Amino acid sequence: MERWALRRSLWRPLSRLLQRPIAAVFAWLGVGGLVGTAAGFTPSSPEVQTAVARAVKFLESPAANDGRPGAQALIGLALLKNGADSSHPKVAWAAQSISAAVNRVSDPGRIDIDIYSTGLAVIFLVTLEPTTTGPHSPIVEKLLESLLARQKSCGAWGYPERGTGDTSMTQYVVLCYWEATRVGYEVPLGSIDQVAIWLMKTQDPSGGFGYQGTVSPTFVPVPQTDVYHSLTAAGLGSMYVCADLLGLSALAKEREEKLPRALKEVKAKAAKQPKSEIDPRLLREVQTRGKQWFAKNYQSPPPVRWCYYYLYALERYCSFRE
């Protein structure tokens, strides 16, 4: 799944966060593989290599200078995926700026970095420093704590002034949870359970997902508003990520089976942690409805509305489904 790492780490509101030229750059970096394959391109194709080189040159220039944490994280992340390291000026700038923004407040619950940017900052920092004991680890911990503090009672994340959960914002928390746990950070099971249940209860009867989730009183789907390709890919992809985080996916079982016997025995002895109470059968029903929605509604070329957001989320959903 490493080949999907950069694509998983792109963000829906590029047009809001970044200037238009940078959005075009990340369109190439993030979805070139999907679009290019249909056109006969591969990552090693000269046309793709030229496009990436131009994109990196732009990101390294003074013109790519957005002061928002999410933009800084996104630029730094793209450069890391292209082979840069912590000594790269833009990577160092991103890490320092994010750290400064986090350290301005002592209470993680009062960190005022938006949800999108918080998720991206975590993904960037754990990519830069894939350990829980590095110099940036306290920053990652604070960012994760801030997300826990901002999780709504419904289980999702969203705008502070709204009581509803936001599918688009929520996917970035789920994604950063997954990236953080891969390098050893711990995320409370209860938080993952809550967001998984919210996703399961905000699926449209058609199998799609909407924008501001309407929560079903049961696990029987209720109609949602703004059911788009982009949001369905985001919601369904998040459902698959949650399943993996909770150990309820085929991917998790495959990793377990590949463990050496000695590690399996150690893990069994230490398995005193609480387990998810989510019924795997209900989770699979959500996944099945979502797959049926895409089988019926898939579009190529993709819809114009939130095109790149849709393509990145679609790739993430497909990679976890596979």
Side-chain angles (χ1 to χ4, degrees):
M1 295 184 61
E2 286 299 319
R3 65 195 178 109
W4 304 101
L6 175 58
R7 293 163 188 167
R8 283 197 307 265
S9 302
L10 297 179
W11 180 15
R12 169 198 180 190
L14 288 172
S15 59
R16 299 177 187 172
L17 176 63
L18 305 173
Q19 297 299 317
R20 189 174 296 274
I22 305 180
V25 165
F26 281 95
W28 271 102
L29 289 175
V31 302
L34 183 62
V35 177
T37 300
F41 295 127
T42 70
S44 59
S45 297
E47 299 90 341
V48 175
Q49 291 293 311
T50 299
V52 171
R54 290 174 60 193
V56 170
K57 183 178 180 180
F58 176 79
L59 292 178
E60 293 176 330
S61 73
N65 186 21
D66 193 308
R68 288 168 287 184
Q72 296 162 352
L74 200 54
I75 292 170
L77 182 63
L79 294 173
L80 287 175
K81 294 298 182 180
N82 193 57
D85 58 27
S86 59
S87 65
H88 190 290
K90 282 293 185 76
V91 173
W93 164 71
Q96 292 166 3
S97 299
I98 291 168
S99 296
V102 172
N103 285 329
R104 276 199 289 266
V105 295
S106 58
D107 180 4
R110 299 182 66 83
I111 291 176
D112 61 356
I113 302 174
D114 65 84
I115 298 295
Y116 289 115
S117 291
T118 302
L120 277 171
V122 170
I123 294 167
F124 163 65
L125 290 175
V126 300
T127 303
L128 172 65
E129 195 176 84
T131 175
T132 60
T133 58
H136 295 104
S137 297
I139 301 300
V140 175
E141 293 282 6
K142 285 185 178 180
L143 289 169
L144 290 173
E145 286 179 40
S146 79
L147 290 173
L148 288 171
R150 288 183 281 175
Q151 187 170 18
K152 293 178 177 290
S153 59
C154 65
W157 286 264
Y159 292 99
E161 67 275 13
R162 297 187 185 183
T164 52
D166 184 303
T167 303
S168 181
M169 289 189 191
T170 296
Q171 70 166 322
Y172 275 89
V173 180
V174 171
L175 181 56
C176 91
Y177 273 5
W178 191 81
E179 295 281 3
T181 57
R182 288 181 73 208
V183 302
Y185 289 94
E186 292 186 7
V187 176
L189 175 69
S191 178
I192 304 169
D193 259 354
Q194 287 177 50
V195 66
I197 291 170
W198 180 82
L199 287 163
M200 294 166 72
K201 289 187 172 184
T202 56
Q203 186 178 39
D204 188 78
S206 66
F209 284 85
Y211 179 36
Q212 299 294 314
T214 300
V215 181
S216 170
T218 65
F219 288 97
V220 177
V222 295
Q224 304 292 319
T225 58
D226 301 318
V227 177
Y228 301 130
H229 287 75
S230 54
L231 291 166
T232 297
L236 189 56
S238 297
M239 191 71 262
Y240 272 86
V241 176
C242 283
D244 188 56
L245 284 169
L246 296 170
L248 301 176
S249 70
L251 179 63
K253 292 177 182 177
E254 181 181 331
R255 285 198 299 265
E256 180 76 19
E257 290 171 358
K258 289 181 178 179
L259 282 176
R261 175 175 292 182
L263 290 181
K264 286 183 180 180
E265 292 173 355
V266 170
K267 188 171 181 181
K269 291 179 181 178
K272 295 181 180 179
Q273 299 177 349
K275 294 184 178 181
S276 173
E277 296 183 0
I278 291 177
D279 185 344
R281 178 182 56 83
L282 293 175
L283 188 149
R284 286 193 291 270
E285 287 178 1
V286 172
Q287 294 173 333
T288 298
R289 284 192 293 265
K291 286 190 287 187
Q292 290 172 345
W293 189 96
F294 270 111
K296 182 178 180 180
N297 297 283
Y298 176 77
Q299 287 183 238
S300 182
V304 175
R305 185 177 178 84
W306 304 116
C307 173
Y308 300 123
Y309 164 48
Y310 162 61
L311 289 175
Y312 119 80
L314 178 66
E315 284 193 303
R316 174 158 40 90
Y317 150 58
C318 289
S319 67
F320 274 91
R321 187 190 69 186
E322 290 170 5

